Amino acid sequence: MFTFRIRKSRLGFIVSGLFLLLVIAIFCWIFFVASKNPADSGESGILLLPFAMPWIMWLPVGWLGLPGAFACFFLNAFILYLLFGGLRVEHRRD
């Protein structure tokens, strides 16, 4: 009989959390810049593009608003969590 245990990774939480904090910081900076410069038409938003890649390239045009971008951010954070040791499954025979 096999038993499975799911272990969580602290390093995965730290890396994905730092990724999301960086996304939030850039997002807040974009709003700050836009509030100070009324002629800004969103050019500073290009800074968030690398954080949503490659998923933003595959979304339909109708989904490219803020919810679609945040879904891409969270998907990338989840992938980083998995890459840095998150959700390791240990199986052992009893």
Side-chain angles (χ1 to χ4, degrees):
M1 172 146 215
F2 289 104
T3 57
F4 291 97
R5 283 186 4 183
I6 296 176
R7 296 182 56 195
K8 297 176 186 143
S9 168
R10 287 184 189 166
L11 181 63
F13 277 124
I14 290 170
V15 170
S16 62
L18 287 175
F19 177 82
L20 288 175
L21 281 175
L22 189 59
V23 166
I24 291 170
I26 292 174
F27 192 71
C28 291
W29 182 77
I30 289 170
F31 273 113
F32 175 73
V33 168
S35 69
K36 296 295 179 191
N37 183 7
D40 185 14
S41 60
E43 295 90 5
S44 57
I46 197 77
L47 294 174
L48 284 176
L49 189 61
F51 293 97
M53 293 296 267
W55 319 114
I56 200 106
M57 303 289 286
W58 296 341
L59 286 177
V61 176
W63 293 6
L64 287 180
L66 206 54
F70 275 110
C72 294
F73 300 147
F74 284 114
L75 181 60
N76 281 342
F78 182 67
I79 290 171
L80 283 173
Y81 174 73
L82 292 178
L83 284 176
F84 283 91
L87 296 181
R88 292 174 289 192
V89 176
E90 294 179 351
H91 57 81
R92 56 185 165 169
R93 240 174 229 228
D94 291 335

